[in-house]
Amino acid sequence: MPSKLPILYNLKKTHFWFAVASVILLIGLVWMVFKDSSREWKGYQRRFMAYMEQKAENELQEAQKAVDQKQLEKLNADLEAAKKAVAENAKAIKTAKGEFEQATFKADNAKANFQNLKQFQDSDKYFYEEHRVAGEIEQAQSYWDKIQKREVELEQAKLELEQKQAEMDAKKAALGTWTAKETELEREIARLTRDITTVESKIKKYKATLAKEILNAPMLDFINPSLRIQQIVVENLHEDYFFAKAEKVDRCVTCHLGIDKAGLEDAPVPFNTHPRLDLFLSANSPHPMEEFGCTSCHSGSGHSVSFTTAAHTPRNEQQAEEWKKKYHWEEMHHWADKMLPMQYTEASCAKCHQGTVEVPEAPKLNEGRKLAETYGCFGCHKVEGFERWKVGPGLEHVQSKLEPDWIVRWLQNPKDFRSSTKMPQIFHLSNTSDPASMEKSNAAIAGIAAYLMKHSAPVVLEEPPVKGDPAKGQELIETIGCLGCHTVGGNAANHHGPELSGLGSKVKADWLYSWLKDPKHYYAKTRMPNLRLSDQEASDITSYLLQDKNEKFESTRAPYVKPEAVHDLALVFMTGRMRYEDAEKELEKMSYEDQLQLVGEKTIAHQGCFGCHDIAGFEDAKKIGTELSFEGSKDLSKFDFGHVHEIEHSRHAWIFQKLKQPRIFDRDRVKPYHEKFKMPWFGFTDEQAEAVTTFVLSLQKQDIPLKMQKVLSESEQETEAGRLLVSKFNCNGCHTVDGHEGKVRSIIEDLGNAPPVLTGEGAKVREAWLYHFLDQPVTIRPWLKYRMPTFGFVHEELTTLVSFFDHLSNMKTNYIGDEMPVTSQEKMEAGQQLFEMFQCMKCHKSNPDPALSASFLAPDLVMAKHRLRSDWIVDWVYDPQALQEGTMMPGFFPDGQTYLEDVLGGDARTQIEAIRDYLMVFEPGKEKEEKPVQDHPAQQ
Amino acid sequence: MDAIKEAINSFCSPVAIFTTAIFMFALFMAFPKQMTNKWVAGAIGLGVVGFFIFGMQDAHFKDIVGKADNLPIVGMIFIFGYFTWFAMKKAVENDERIAAGQPTWEKTESEEKVLVFPYLIYIEFVIALLYAAALVYWAILVQAPLEDPANPTLSPNPSKAPWYFLGLQEMLVYFDPWLAGVLFPTVIIVGLCAIPYIDNDPKTSGYYCFKQRRWAITAFMFGFWILWLVLIMVGTFLRGPNWNFFGPFEVWTAHKVVPLINVNLSEFFYIKWLGIALPQNWFIRELPGFAALFIYFILIPKALERTVFKKLYERIGAARYHILIALTFMMIALPLKMYFRWAFNLKYIIAIPEFFFNI
C-alpha cells in the first residue's frame, strides 16, 4: 500500500458540503421526531390533568376542613405516647421479633419440604396411571410402591408444616401484643383522614412530574406514558369503508376526557360531562358508552384525534369563525360522514329508533316529523315508512263550495287570505316572479280553476232552515269542541284544522251549514268529525262564521289572463309529447276553453296538487317529488347548489335553505318556465325549518345490526298504529293522552269542564264499551259541554284505538270482558248501604245538580256496569288519587283503612268489593233506560 | 393583474398550448446553439419560475399547483428542462469541438483517472445525505394527499390516471379508447424496444452530440417532450372536472358546459361535401376513411421510398425502413389527428359503432 495517495481534487469543499448536509439532515430528523410527538390531543390531556389536579387541590382543602382537628390532635398525641411506650420495651420487642423470625424460617422450610414431596407424589401418580392403563403391570407396581412409601412421608411433612405454622402464629401474636395500641391508633387516624388520602392519591395521579415527562418523551413513550390515546371499540357497529367493514373505533374520549364522569358539568369544553348522562354514556343508561360509542350518534371521524380531522361541524357561521381562530379548524372535505351540527344531532336517533310515531326524548325530530305530516310533505315525496293521508280538503265537489274567481285569487298567494294556512304558495315565487313567468303562472292558475270547476261533481246543499244567532254561534264554537282542532278568533289552542277566519269571503251559508251538519256528505274522506249539531246550532255557527270577512282579500281582483299565454303554455305541455307543428294544429282545433282545461290539467299534474287534494282524474297519479327515503345519507355531490355560494356546502345547509326558500337554487339560472324548480313555499320559521331538516337528515340508509336497533314488539307496533290515528284525528287536541297534555285545557278556566283525561283509560273501561263509544259516542258526563264527536271510524280504526288504549295500560285486549265477580246477598246489601252512606249519587248523576260546580260532577253511574272494568272500580274507590292525581273523587278509605268497622267485618277491601258488586246491578228506577250496549263485537 | 390572468386564460386552449410547445420545440431544434446560450436558457428558465411565482398569487392556481399530488409534476418541469438543456449544451459544445477537429469533451475527460474513494463514493454519500434530508423535509412540510375512503359508487371528478399515464388519458380526448388505451401504449413500448434495431449505427455513441444525429434526436425529443411531457402537464394542471379544459386561473367547476360538436369523416364526406345521406352499409359509409388511411400509411411511404427517402431506404433496407416509417407515421398521426379535431371538429376518421371500431 503506497504511503501517500496522489491528491487529484481538493476534498476540502466536499468536507464542507458533508458538514452542511449532515447538519441539515440532523435538523430535519430532530424536527421530524418533535413534530411526530407533539400532538394536539396531548395538549388536551395535559390541560385536563392540570384541571383535575386543581380541582383535587380544592377538594383537598375541603377535606382537610372537614376533619375534626381536635380529635386528630388527640389521636396523634396518643400515638406519640404509644410509640414512646414501645420504645421503652425495645429490648423485649427485639427478642420477640427474633423468635418470630426464627419461627417463620422454620415454617418456610417445612412448607418447602412438603411441597417438594407433593410434586414427586403427583408425578409418580401420573406415571402409575399411564403404565397401568398401558397394561405394564411391573412398572406400574414399582410406582405404586413408591407412592405408598412416600404417602407416609407426606403425611408427616404436612403435620410438621401445620405445627410450625402454629408456632409462627403464636410468636406473631406475642410480638403483636407489644405494638397493638400503636397499630390501632394508626388505623384510627387513617380512618379519620380517609377522604384526604383519597384526594391526595388523586392529586398524585394528575400531578405532572419529571418521571412522567420522561415516560412521555418521544421514543420512550412506548413504555408507560401517562398521555395516551383513549378509545372505545364498539363491537356491534361497523364503519363501512366500502371494500371492508371495520369495528367502530371512537377516540373522541382522548380529548373529551370527562364526558362520562359525573361532577364535571361545569368544566370547560372539551372536559365537561355529557349533558344527558341519564340517557347516554353512563353504564345504566339506555345507551352505555361501551356499546354505542360516540360517532354512532354524532357522526364524524371517530378514529381521528385532532380537532379538524375528527370532522367537527360548527353549528353556524359564527362558530365556524370562532373555531378557525381558536382551533385552526377547517372543513374536512374528504370525510363524507361529518359530525352533525349540535342542532341536528337528534337526526341520528332514527338510525335505530324506527317505525314509531315519536322517538322518546327527541323533541326536535318529533316536531320535524309532525310538521312534515301536517304540511303534507309525503304527498309529493315518497319516504319509506311514512305513508300518510292527503292533508288538503278533497276537491271532487269543489264547484259546490267555491267560486272559480275565488280559487284564482287564492292561488295567487294563499297566505294573503289566511296567514296561518298550511297551503303553500306555489306561484309567483322568486324564480317565477318575472313578468313573463307571472303571465304564464296566471294562465296556469286560470286553467286550474277551470279544470276544477269542470271536473268536480255538485253535491246537494241545504240552506240553514232557521235563522242563526251569531252570538250563540260563537258561544257554541267556544264550548262544544270546535277549538279541539280549529283556531277561532283569539282562541288558538289547536292548529290541526284550518283557522276559521274570513269564511264570509270564501263560502256560502248553504255549503257551510251542510258541511257542519255532516262533513262527510261533502268530502267522504275528511278528517273533520261530526259534532251532531242540531239545525239551530248549525245555523248559529254558520251565521257566526260567515260574519268574518277578509276585506283586503275581497278587494283583490283575479289578474287578467292573456289568451296567448294560455296558448303558449298549452303548447309547451303539448310539445312535450308531440311535434311542434302537430301541437300547433291540435291547438288550433281547440277552443279557448279547451286550451284552458288542458293547461289546468297539465299544471295540476306538473305541480302535483293531487298530493294533498283529491282531484277527479288524478286518482292514480304518481308523487311528483324526489324520493326522500335516504336523503340524509345522499351523497353531497348530488345536491345541486346552483349558483348559491353564500351557504355552507353541506347537506343540512342545503335542506334548510330549500325549506326556507324552495326556489333559491334556480337563482341566476337560465331555465324555461316549466323546467324551473316547483317545490312550493310553506313559510316555515327558522325553528320549523330546523326541525324539518332534522327529520330529513334522519332519513338514512343504514345497516345497523338488528340487535342494536329498537325492534318493536307486536304490541308496540299496535300501539304505534294507534298513535298514528291519535295524531291523524288530533285526539290530543282535547284529551290528555299518551303523556301529552290535552291542548284545549290551556284555554279552559275550570278544568272540570275540560274533556276527560285519558291516562289509564285502557285499565278503566271495557273494550266492547270503548269500541261502541268511539263508533257512536254517548253522553257520559252530562254537565260537559264539550262533545265527543262522531269520527266515523271504520272497524280497523276502532280496534286499533281500543288496542292502543289497552297497550298503554299494559292490558291484554279482550272483548269478552272480565267475568262478573261472585257475590253474596250480604255483600249486595252492604254495598247498597255503603253506596247510600257515601252519597255516590250526589255527584254521579245523569241529570246533574246545577248548584254543583263542574269539577264536583262525575260520570253517570248507570253506565258503570257496561263501561268499567270491575277490577278498576275496586282500585279506584280504594285510592282515587293514585289513579288520577287531583281528582275530586273523595278517598273513603284513607291508607286502605275503613272507619266503618261494623260493615262486613270492617275489611276495607271487602267493603269496596261490595260497592262494586252493587254498582254492577245498580239501576235507579227514575233514570232513563239507556240503549243497551252489545257486548261481543268480535263475534259480529 | 386580473386582466393578465384573464388574457392568459382566454389564450389557453389545447391547440394554443400544443402549438406553442411545438413552436418552442422547433426553435430549440433549429437553433440549438442560440437556445442553449446561458442568457437565453436563463431567461426561459426565469420566465417559467416567474410565471409560477406570479401564478401562486392566485388562490386557485395555488390550489391546483400546490396540491401535494401535483408537486412532483412541477418538479418534473424543472428537472427535465434542466437535463434537456444540459445535454443539448454538451452536444453543441461537442459539435463545435468535432467541427474544429478536437476530441470530444467526454474523450478528454475519460483520459484522466481518479480513485473511486474518496472522489466518487464520498461525493455520492454527501449527495445521498442531501437527498435524504430533502425527502425528510418534504415529508414534514407537505402532508400525504389522503382523500375520501375509496367508494365504488362514487368516482372522483375529475378522475385522473397516475401522472405518468396522463399523456395517454389526454389522448383519450382525441382517440377511441382502444387506440389511446391499448394500441398506442403497445406501439410506444414496442417502438422504444425497436429503436436500437432500427438505428444500429455505432457512430456517435459515448458522447453528447446533435449535428450528427439531428433527425434521430429531434424525433425522439418530439415524442418525449411534446407527446408525453406536455400532455402530462396539460392533463395535470389544465384538465378539470369532466376532463374539461380550464385555463390556469380559471376556477374548476363541475358545472362547466362546453359544446360537443364533433363529426365523423364519413359525415363530412357524404353529408357536407356530396350532400347525400349516409350509406346504410358500414363499409361503403366508411370507405373515405379507409381510403384516407390507405393513402397515409401505404401510398405516401411508398412514394417517399422512391423519392426523398431513397438513400435512407437503400442504407437500412426494406424491413427496417417499413418499421421505421410505420412507427414514425403513427407518431405523426397523433398530432395530426389532434389538429384535425381542433380545425374541423373531426371526431373519427373511421367510425363503425356496429362493432365498436373507431379510428
Side-chain angles (χ1 to χ4, degrees):
Chain A
M1 199 178 172
S3 58
K4 246 187 177 175
L5 290 168
I7 292 172
L8 296 170
Y9 289 103
N10 188 348
L11 280 177
K12 270 188 185 158
K13 232 184 195 173
T14 323
H15 292 328
F16 171 74
W17 284 113
F18 179 36
V20 170
S22 308
V23 170
I24 291 176
L25 185 58
L26 184 68
I27 293 171
L29 290 175
V30 171
W31 187 11
M32 181 179 82
V33 170
F34 174 76
K35 200 162 180 227
D36 186 52
S37 75
S38 77
R39 298 290 172 103
E40 208 177 318
W41 60 268
K42 289 186 183 169
Y44 283 107
Q45 294 202 342
R46 284 211 165 87
R47 274 172 47 204
F48 179 72
M49 290 186 178
Y51 175 80
M52 290 302 273
E53 191 196 331
Q54 186 57 45
K55 200 170 146 70
E57 297 275 4
N58 295 344
E59 279 171 27
L60 183 63
Q61 284 179 2
E62 292 292 311
Q64 276 166 344
K65 265 184 223 160
V67 171
D68 185 348
Q69 288 299 332
K70 264 188 193 156
Q71 197 187 349
L72 187 63
E73 264 166 40
K74 187 180 174 290
L75 282 171
N76 274 331
D78 287 355
L79 182 65
E80 214 47 44
K83 276 192 176 154
K84 219 179 225 174
V86 169
E88 276 163 14
N89 295 305
K91 212 171 176 190
I93 292 171
K94 201 180 171 192
T95 321
K97 215 176 198 174
E99 280 173 8
F100 170 62
E101 273 163 16
Q102 190 64 24
T104 312
F105 164 73
K106 280 181 184 160
D108 286 347
N109 255 353
K111 194 174 184 186
N113 185 31
F114 170 71
Q115 278 174 342
N116 285 356
L117 280 173
K118 191 157 187 313
Q119 289 287 327
F120 283 114
Q121 190 74 337
D122 288 345
S123 166
D124 284 353
K125 274 184 190 161
Y126 163 77
F127 284 113
Y128 165 71
E129 283 169 9
E130 284 295 302
H131 286 302
R132 209 170 71 143
V133 172
E136 295 153 350
I137 307 296
E138 246 172 66
Q139 282 99 322
Q141 189 56 46
S142 88
Y143 277 109
W144 182 243
D145 293 345
K146 274 197 212 168
I147 290 168
Q148 290 297 328
K149 205 176 134 207
R150 200 181 288 111
E151 194 62 41
V152 185
E153 289 173 41
L154 204 58
E155 280 291 312
Q156 249 174 3
K158 190 161 186 204
L159 284 175
E160 171 102 15
L161 172 64
E162 281 170 1
Q163 189 199 339
K164 297 288 178 208
Q165 275 173 341
E167 272 171 33
M168 184 181 75
D169 290 344
K171 295 287 177 200
K172 192 179 177 185
L175 181 64
T177 50
W178 291 104
T179 55
K181 178 91 181 159
E182 188 185 346
T183 320
E184 199 199 327
L185 281 170
E186 272 169 357
R187 216 176 278 154
E188 189 76 5
I189 291 172
R191 206 163 50 80
L192 197 65
T193 57
R194 189 170 44 198
D195 287 350
I196 297 179
T197 322
T198 320
V199 178
E200 271 172 349
S201 72
K202 223 187 210 174
I203 293 176
K204 206 173 155 196
K205 187 176 154 198
Y206 291 120
K207 204 175 186 81
T209 60
L210 183 65
K212 277 186 191 165
E213 285 308 313
I214 290 172
L215 285 173
N216 287 330
M219 324 285 272
L220 293 175
D221 55 3
F222 69 96
I223 304 168
N224 186 19
S226 60
L227 307 177
R228 57 173 87 201
I229 289 177
Q230 311 286 327
Q231 63 181 22
I232 305 163
V233 181
V234 187
E235 269 173 45
N236 292 322
L237 293 177
H238 290 87
E239 214 74 80
D240 189 359
Y241 293 119
F242 306 110
F243 295 98
K245 280 192 176 177
E247 274 179 347
K248 194 179 247 318
V249 176
D250 282 345
R251 294 181 175 154
C252 314
V253 281
T254 302
C255 298
H256 292 276
L257 286 154
I259 201 75
D260 62 330
K261 294 181 180 65
L264 289 175
E265 284 77 10
D266 302 324
V269 182
F271 308 135
N272 52 344
T273 315
H274 194 283
R276 292 298 301 271
L277 273 194
D278 56 327
L279 269 183
F280 304 100
L281 306 187
S282 62
N284 35 18
S285 71
H287 309 95
M289 184 159 85
E290 285 69 28
E291 268 178 64
F292 289 86
C294 313
T295 57
S296 36
C297 296
H298 287 278
S299 296
S301 173
H303 284 88
S304 304
V305 285
S306 81
F307 191 86
T308 292
T309 56
H312 284 101
T313 308
R315 57 162 71 224
N316 50 35
E317 278 296 312
Q318 197 190 340
Q319 193 172 39
E321 285 307 313
E322 194 188 314
W323 283 6
K324 274 177 201 160
K325 268 194 215 122
K326 211 166 157 190
Y327 307 108
H328 307 291
W329 174 83
E330 53 188 296
E331 204 191 315
M332 275 284 285
H333 291 288
H334 293 306
W335 191 257
D337 198 15
K338 287 188 228 351
M339 214 172 288
L340 283 166
M342 286 304 261
Q343 68 266 40
Y344 297 122
T345 310
E346 281 175 24
S348 289
C349 302
K351 282 181 179 175
C352 305
H353 291 272
Q354 285 182 350
T356 54
V357 174
E358 292 200 330
V359 176
E361 302 279 354
K364 193 177 275 182
L365 175 62
N366 293 337
E367 159 90 352
R369 283 183 175 180
K370 183 77 191 166
L371 281 169
E373 182 183 290
T374 312
Y375 283 86
C377 299
F378 310 119
C380 291
H381 299 284
K382 185 180 170 206
V383 181
E384 235 165 68
F386 290 88
E387 292 305 319
R388 295 292 190 269
W389 48 90
K390 293 192 177 184
V391 295
L395 302 179
E396 286 156 319
H397 304 293
V398 73
Q399 60 153 287
S400 296
K401 178 180 177 184
L402 300 169
E403 296 294 326
D405 180 64
W406 189 90
I407 297 178
V408 169
R409 288 184 293 145
W410 162 258
L411 282 174
Q412 298 293 322
N413 179 7
K415 291 193 182 1
D416 279 351
F417 177 74
R418 187 185 288 149
S419 61
S420 64
T421 183
K422 283 160 205 141
M423 168 93 171
Q425 187 180 357
I426 297 152
F427 300 100
H428 311 320
L429 289 165
S430 66
N431 65 342
T432 50
S433 52
D434 56 296
S437 297
M438 282 182 79
E439 229 168 57
K440 287 209 173 76
S441 295
N442 284 331
I445 292 171
I448 292 176
Y451 180 90
L452 289 179
M453 283 301 130
K454 190 170 175 194
H455 291 83
S456 61
V459 286
V460 182
L461 298 179
E462 211 181 311
E463 283 290 343
V466 286
K467 194 171 177 316
D469 176 358
K472 272 193 187 146
Q474 180 174 11
E475 196 197 325
L476 281 169
I477 281 186
E478 283 166 8
T479 52
I480 61 167
C482 304
L483 298 181
C485 286
H486 298 278
T487 292
V488 192
N491 301 309
N494 275 290
H495 305 282
H496 185 67
E499 184 185 346
L500 300 181
S501 66
L503 283 182
S505 307
K506 183 177 178 182
V507 294
K508 296 226 163 51
D510 57 349
W511 181 84
L512 189 52
Y513 175 80
S514 311
W515 170 256
L516 288 168
K517 286 289 283 180
D518 181 11
K520 286 194 163 38
H521 173 65
Y522 171 75
Y523 177 40
K525 282 196 272 176
T526 184
R527 280 177 284 154
M528 164 104 165
N530 190 338
L531 274 171
R532 304 181 298 276
L533 299 171
S534 69
D535 292 356
Q536 183 62 53
E537 287 169 337
S539 304
D540 290 345
I541 295 176
T542 303
S543 65
Y544 169 68
L545 288 178
L546 288 183
Q547 262 186 348
D548 189 26
K549 289 188 198 288
N550 187 331
E551 306 288 343
K552 204 176 150 221
F553 183 78
E554 285 203 352
S555 68
T556 58
R557 292 283 158 268
Y560 170 67
V561 176
K562 281 190 191 163
E564 305 88 72
V566 176
H567 175 271
D568 289 352
L569 199 53
L571 197 63
V572 167
F573 285 127
M574 286 179 87
T575 46
R577 57 185 172 87
M578 59 173 72
R579 292 197 178 85
Y580 181 84
E581 275 186 32
D582 297 342
E584 275 284 23
K585 264 185 220 156
E586 196 97 344
L587 272 178
E588 264 171 42
K589 278 189 262 169
M590 291 162 93
S591 67
Y592 175 69
E593 187 50 40
D594 287 347
Q595 291 185 5
L596 212 51
Q597 287 290 331
L598 178 95
V599 166
E601 185 190 348
K602 295 294 178 189
T603 306
I604 291 171
H606 183 71
Q607 292 291 352
C609 310
F610 51 83
C612 293
H613 304 280
D614 275 322
I615 298 174
F618 291 93
E619 288 78 7
D620 303 319
K622 295 266 181 303
K623 296 182 178 184
I624 63 156
T626 313
E627 182 176 346
L628 298 182
S629 300
F630 308 114
E631 194 74 359
S633 51
K634 188 158 101 175
D635 198 84
L636 186 58
S637 64
K638 296 203 172 93
F639 287 92
D640 181 6
F641 283 80
H643 296 293
V644 179
H645 300 301
E646 67 272 23
I647 63 167
E648 193 192 327
H649 211 77
S650 67
R651 247 181 237 130
H652 54 85
W654 190 93
I655 296 168
F656 183 86
Q657 200 61 33
K658 181 85 178 166
L659 288 164
K660 287 290 287 178
Q661 293 168 287
R663 311 287 175 91
I664 182 102
F665 299 109
D666 259 351
R667 202 184 63 197
D668 304 330
R669 279 259 175 96
V670 183
K671 269 181 165 184
Y673 176 76
H674 60 284
E675 280 178 18
K676 291 185 174 182
F677 288 131
K678 48 195 178 184
M679 172 151 151
W681 179 71
F682 291 89
F684 287 130
T685 62
D686 283 358
E687 289 73 31
Q688 287 176 321
E690 205 172 278
V692 179
T693 306
T694 307
F695 165 61
V696 177
L697 287 173
S698 78
L699 302 167
Q700 297 191 13
K701 200 163 217 148
Q702 279 296 341
D703 51 348
I704 303 278
L706 217 53
K707 68 171 166 182
M708 293 297 281
Q709 290 186 31
K710 164 82 184 144
V711 181
L712 298 182
S713 68
E714 204 174 321
S715 67
E716 282 170 323
Q717 284 176 17
E718 285 177 6
T719 313
E720 290 304 326
R723 287 206 170 105
L724 193 58
L725 282 178
V726 167
S727 170
K728 182 175 180 181
F729 292 102
N730 198 35
C731 306
N732 199 226
C734 293
H735 298 285
T736 297
V737 60
D738 199 15
H740 297 292
E741 171 95 358
K743 289 182 188 151
V744 286
R745 298 175 77 86
S746 66
I747 53 167
I748 293 176
E749 275 167 29
D750 181 359
L751 284 182
N753 283 323
V757 171
L758 298 185
T759 312
E761 185 74 1
K764 177 178 180 181
V765 300
R766 296 171 187 235
E767 285 85 354
W769 178 86
L770 184 57
Y771 182 97
H772 288 292
F773 177 77
L774 290 170
D775 189 23
Q776 298 289 338
V778 292
T779 308
I780 305 168
R781 296 170 179 81
W783 74 95
L784 262 193
K785 289 196 178 133
Y786 262 81
R787 290 182 196 173
M788 170 74 180
T790 309
F791 284 92
F793 292 125
V794 297
H795 174 69
E796 284 74 23
E797 289 171 332
L798 290 167
T799 51
T800 303
L801 282 171
V802 170
S803 305
F804 165 73
F805 282 113
D806 280 345
H807 289 311
L808 286 188
S809 306
N810 295 319
M811 302 293 291
K812 257 204 144 65
T813 308
N814 172 15
Y815 283 94
I816 296 168
D818 39 3
E819 274 177 43
M820 283 295 257
V822 181
T823 185
S824 61
Q825 189 60 34
E826 188 200 359
K827 257 184 162 180
M828 263 328 203
E829 279 164 14
Q832 184 169 9
Q833 184 193 347
L834 289 166
F835 194 79
E836 277 154 17
M837 199 183 290
F838 292 153
Q839 295 192 329
C840 299
M841 284 312 285
K842 188 158 189 207
C843 300
H844 290 278
K845 270 186 185 169
S846 55
N847 49 345
D849 183 353
L852 279 173
S853 89
S855 34
F856 285 101
L857 298 173
D860 184 1
L861 281 184
V862 182
M863 333 182 140
K865 56 180 159 300
H866 303 300
R867 177 167 170 252
L868 300 176
R869 293 182 192 272
S870 48
D871 292 346
W872 183 84
I873 298 174
V874 175
D875 293 342
W876 175 250
V877 179
Y878 189 75
D879 185 1
Q881 296 296 338
L883 291 185
Q884 190 180 323
E885 215 178 310
T887 178
M888 295 304 283
M889 169 88 177
F892 296 101
F893 300 91
D895 303 326
Q897 299 299 320
T898 174
Y899 61 90
L900 300 166
E901 278 165 17
D902 50 342
V903 183
L904 290 171
D907 181 48
R909 192 153 277 277
T910 322
Q911 288 179 1
I912 296 170
E913 279 173 10
I915 297 175
R916 188 249 342 253
D917 296 347
Y918 176 70
L919 256 184
M920 287 291 139
V921 295
F922 170 69
E923 209 150 344
K926 57 183 173 184
E927 298 293 342
K928 243 196 291 179
E929 185 75 11
E930 221 185 289
K931 208 172 131 198
V933 172
Q934 276 183 320
D935 246 347
H936 306 296
Q939 292 170 1
Q940 283 171 358
Chain B
M1 209 57 157
D2 283 342
I4 303 173
K5 287 180 193 169
E6 202 55 46
I8 294 174
N9 278 344
S10 58
F11 167 77
C12 277
S13 70
V15 59
I17 287 181
F18 204 69
T19 310
T20 314
I22 290 179
F23 176 72
M24 291 294 291
F25 177 76
L27 214 58
F28 205 74
M29 290 299 149
F31 307 103
K33 187 171 157 54
Q34 289 80 355
M35 293 299 284
T36 53
N37 174 292
K38 64 181 170 191
W39 295 108
V40 178
I44 295 174
L46 278 179
V48 178
V49 173
F51 176 72
F52 273 101
I53 292 172
F54 168 74
M56 291 306 258
Q57 312 305 316
D58 180 83
H60 171 69
F61 186 98
K62 193 176 168 186
D63 194 34
I64 302 293
V65 171
K67 242 187 172 76
D69 325 57
N70 292 347
L71 281 182
I73 311 297
V74 179
M76 185 190 82
I77 296 176
F78 291 99
I79 290 167
F80 281 122
Y82 169 77
F83 281 114
T84 307
W85 168 79
F86 181 79
M88 213 56 183
K89 178 99 185 143
K90 291 283 174 205
V92 169
E93 269 175 33
N94 276 348
D95 285 347
E96 280 171 357
R97 280 164 179 262
I98 292 164
Q102 289 166 347
T104 60
W105 183 75
E106 285 83 359
K107 184 139 177 75
T108 10
E109 206 177 42
S110 65
E111 275 162 5
E112 287 179 50
K113 299 237 185 297
V114 291
L115 293 171
V116 169
F117 187 86
Y119 302 113
L120 177 65
I121 302 271
Y122 191 17
I123 294 167
E124 279 180 345
F125 178 63
V126 172
I127 295 296
L129 287 184
L130 284 172
Y131 193 75
L135 288 180
V136 169
Y137 280 92
W138 189 351
I140 293 173
L141 293 173
V142 182
Q143 299 295 306
L146 292 182
E147 295 188 5
D148 320 39
N151 180 349
T153 60
L154 190 72
S155 316
N157 189 7
S159 289
K160 289 195 177 183
W163 65 269
Y164 41 84
F165 279 152
L166 279 180
L168 291 174
Q169 197 176 354
E170 180 63 17
M171 282 181 213
L172 278 171
V173 177
Y174 307 98
F175 293 94
D176 195 70
W178 80 267
L179 276 177
V182 180
L183 190 72
F184 283 153
T186 316
V187 170
I188 290 167
I189 291 164
V190 171
L192 286 172
C193 297
I195 290 175
Y197 301 97
I198 297 168
D199 179 7
N200 55 1
D201 191 350
K203 193 172 66 182
T204 77
S205 74
Y207 57 89
Y208 290 109
C209 75
F210 180 62
K211 270 195 183 146
Q212 292 163 325
R213 327 214 68 188
R214 184 183 285 270
W215 291 111
I217 290 173
T218 305
F220 178 82
M221 293 299 271
F222 181 79
F224 182 64
W225 264 100
I226 304 297
L227 297 184
W228 202 241
L229 296 187
V230 169
L231 292 187
I232 287 176
M233 292 177 219
V234 169
T236 307
F237 300 121
L238 303 174
R239 287 289 183 182
N242 306 324
W243 207 250
N244 276 331
F245 186 88
F246 291 84
F249 303 106
E250 202 175 334
V251 177
W252 287 12
T253 156
H255 305 296
K256 182 174 179 174
V257 179
V258 287
L260 297 169
I261 46 169
N262 301 323
V263 285
N264 294 325
L265 181 62
S266 55
E267 286 158 329
F268 268 111
F269 187 78
Y270 290 103
I271 298 172
K272 291 208 173 168
W273 295 332
L274 296 184
I276 57 171
L278 282 181
Q280 293 294 313
N281 183 297
W282 64 264
F283 186 75
I284 301 173
R285 188 187 68 216
E286 299 305 332
L287 260 183
F290 288 121
L293 289 193
F294 182 76
I295 293 168
Y296 182 75
F297 278 111
I298 309 290
L299 290 190
I300 296 177
K302 274 287 155 201
L304 290 177
E305 176 187 317
R306 305 217 173 132
T307 54
V308 186
F309 291 158
K310 196 164 183 189
K311 266 190 201 153
L312 178 76
Y313 182 76
E314 279 162 8
R315 189 159 51 115
I316 65 176
R320 286 210 189 104
Y321 174 79
H322 284 122
I323 293 170
L324 173 64
I325 254 345
L327 291 173
T328 314
F329 269 54
M330 271 195 180
M331 191 166 95
I332 297 170
L334 216 118
L336 270 184
K337 169 85 192 287
M338 286 158 79
Y339 273 106
F340 278 131
R341 169 69 59 87
W342 295 324
F344 309 112
N345 291 315
L346 175 71
K347 193 174 179 188
Y348 291 128
I349 294 166
I350 296 172
I352 315 176
E354 284 85 344
F355 41 90
F356 311 107
F357 182 86
N358 304 304
I359 290 174

